Amino acid sequence: MFAALDLGTNNCRLLIVSSGQRGVRIVDNYNRVVRLGEGLYETGLLSEAAMDRTMQALHHCAARIHRRKSFNLYAVATEACRRASNAPFFLNRVQEETGLNISVISPREEVELAVTGCSTFLHDRVLRRNRTKTLLFDIGGGSTEVAWVRIDPVRRKQTLIGCCSVPVGVITLREQFKRLTLNEYYQMVDFVISKITEFERVHQIRAEILREQVQFIGVSGTVTALASMILKQPKYSRAAIDGLMLETTQVKDMIRHILVSKFNKIYDYATVNHSKLHYLLPGCAIFEAIHTVWPVEDIVVADRGIRDGIIAKMLDNKLNKANKHNFDILHSFVKN
């Protein structure tokens, strides 16, 4: 058994798989919105309410893990725990109450795990369309990660050319722009653009886009939600979304539809619940900013990320035991 836990600013996610002679299969998959980073932008602290919500989810995760007789676990925390001054206190509490040892990873580690989790798409001939580079972005609750990747199709390898972590996510952006008027929506777009232009200046990605050499991959709840709306799914289906290729004009048309509906008070946002717009619109603003700077014509939607990258590394470690000393993110959890 292999278990990966991703404690983000907005969500707590757990994935457990088994590996045997018949291959790899998913045993358990858990995802709970906890909003751990709610209020962090203003106070620099994890609030009591946010920590209590998150503890409930982590108790559920621990119970699911404890039911397995033999497993390997790696649990990580990202932007909220990187930024909050009381994060060490919270993570100590988590370990004492649940036994879960959660490591705070760096932005680069976060990017690398997201890229590894999407490696199947990087080397899929249909999805890659013979392009030599990939621009991958992951819109989180507290930050947005961007990865610029070189593809080696012969060896089926990828190289991370560069990455950046923008301290802007759906929660922090929503708290920064409280009124969320139409004018503020476009202010959000401009704000995010100002945060990523330096990365473009250094790597000249736009020039590669003009030469049609760039694959575009979106990893986030924002992108998967928009894809589900485009497909008019009555209920979200991961099987239909993960690996879906869309024209970016379809995504931007859906965003226009949401904006018109929202600000003209016409509550018919396809399949999206009105309450979800609270964080969907900041995500849309981040997507628009990214696509404004890097206008790729199509996008691969990925319903995967850090957890999948952790599992992939664990499986690779199992298959390559000689390299075990090189893999320092495999932790064993022993129930007391």
Side-chain angles (χ1 to χ4, degrees):
M1 294 287 182
F2 298 90
L5 190 150
D6 169 19
L7 179 58
T9 305
N10 197 37
N11 290 71
C12 175
R13 299 180 175 93
L14 173 70
L15 180 64
I16 303 176
V17 305
S18 67
S19 177
Q21 293 181 345
R22 296 184 179 181
V24 179
R25 68 181 182 89
I26 295 177
V27 175
D28 201 353
N29 188 10
Y30 175 84
N31 186 359
R32 178 71 57 86
V33 175
V34 295
R35 304 191 310 280
L36 177 60
E38 192 171 63
L40 177 60
Y41 174 77
E42 292 184 341
T43 67
L45 297 168
L46 303 176
S47 71
E48 290 295 331
M51 288 190 287
D52 288 343
R53 280 194 305 267
T54 305
M55 283 302 306
Q56 290 181 6
L58 290 171
H59 276 295
H60 282 296
C61 291
R64 289 166 182 255
I65 292 167
H66 291 171
R67 288 200 292 265
R68 317 299 168 189
K69 293 182 179 179
S70 177
F71 56 86
N72 301 281
L73 167 69
Y74 184 51
V76 303
T78 54
E79 184 66 11
C81 289
R82 285 196 292 261
R83 293 177 58 184
S85 59
N86 61 341
F89 162 80
F90 173 65
L91 295 178
N92 284 335
R93 177 188 167 190
V94 170
Q95 186 164 17
E96 290 175 1
E97 293 189 21
T98 69
L100 297 173
N101 180 19
I102 301 179
S103 301
V104 181
I105 58 174
S106 69
R108 185 177 180 89
E109 289 175 295
E110 186 175 352
V111 169
E112 289 174 344
L113 287 171
V115 170
T116 300
C118 293
S119 59
T120 302
F121 298 155
L122 299 176
H123 301 286
D124 185 297
R125 289 185 178 182
V126 175
L127 297 179
R128 188 170 53 82
R129 296 189 180 186
N130 294 320
R131 293 164 184 173
T132 59
K133 295 183 177 68
T134 295
L135 181 67
L136 180 146
F137 66 91
D138 184 355
I139 302 171
S143 64
T144 296
E145 273 61 48
V146 180
W148 180 226
V149 184
R150 180 181 294 107
I151 308 300
D152 183 343
V154 177
R155 296 190 301 162
R156 291 185 64 84
K157 299 285 185 180
Q158 64 265 0
T159 303
L160 186 62
I161 303 170
C163 63
C164 69
S165 180
V166 184
V168 174
V170 297
I171 290 182
T172 51
L173 201 59
R174 180 66 183 88
E175 292 181 352
Q176 190 171 351
F177 294 85
K178 294 181 180 297
R179 294 175 58 206
L180 201 55
T181 61
L182 186 60
N183 183 53
E184 278 204 335
Y185 175 83
Y186 287 108
Q187 287 179 19
M188 286 194 290
V189 174
D190 291 339
F191 178 72
V192 179
I193 288 174
S194 71
K195 298 293 184 181
I196 60 178
T197 49
E198 176 62 17
F199 192 71
E200 161 60 19
R201 187 192 67 78
V202 171
H203 294 286
Q204 300 293 305
I205 299 169
R206 196 180 182 98
E208 294 291 313
I209 292 171
L210 294 175
R211 289 195 287 269
E212 299 184 350
Q213 291 299 306
V214 180
Q215 178 193 36
F216 200 37
I217 298 181
V219 183
S220 73
T222 296
V223 178
T224 56
L226 290 170
S228 181
M229 294 167 67
I230 290 168
L231 295 183
K232 298 182 179 179
Q233 292 183 333
K235 184 179 179 180
Y236 183 81
S237 169
R238 181 183 188 275
I241 297 298
D242 190 40
L244 175 69
M245 179 177 283
L246 295 170
E247 294 180 3
T248 46
T249 53
Q250 293 176 275
V251 180
K252 298 192 80 169
D253 286 346
M254 179 53 70
I255 293 174
R256 296 282 83 72
H257 172 72
I258 294 171
L259 290 174
V260 169
S261 300
K262 161 69 176 175
F263 295 108
N264 289 335
K265 302 186 184 306
I266 305 170
Y267 300 122
D268 64 342
Y269 319 112
T271 59
V272 73
N273 185 291
H274 177 55
S275 63
K276 292 183 179 179
L277 287 176
H278 194 67
Y279 294 119
L280 180 60
L281 283 176
C284 291
I286 296 171
F287 173 84
E288 286 219 62
I290 291 171
H291 190 259
T292 298
V293 176
W294 300 303
V296 187
E297 293 183 353
D298 48 58
I299 181 171
V300 178
V301 180
D303 188 347
R304 55 181 69 195
I306 293 175
R307 293 177 307 166
D308 304 85
I310 292 171
I311 295 294
K313 286 201 170 189
M314 285 180 168
L315 292 171
D316 182 63
N317 181 64
K318 177 189 175 185
L319 296 173
N320 299 278
K321 292 183 179 179
N323 294 325
K324 188 172 183 178
H325 63 283
N326 291 326
F327 183 54
D328 60 0
I329 68 167
L330 183 59
H331 289 238
S332 294
F333 174 82
V334 181
K335 183 180 178 183
N336 294 327

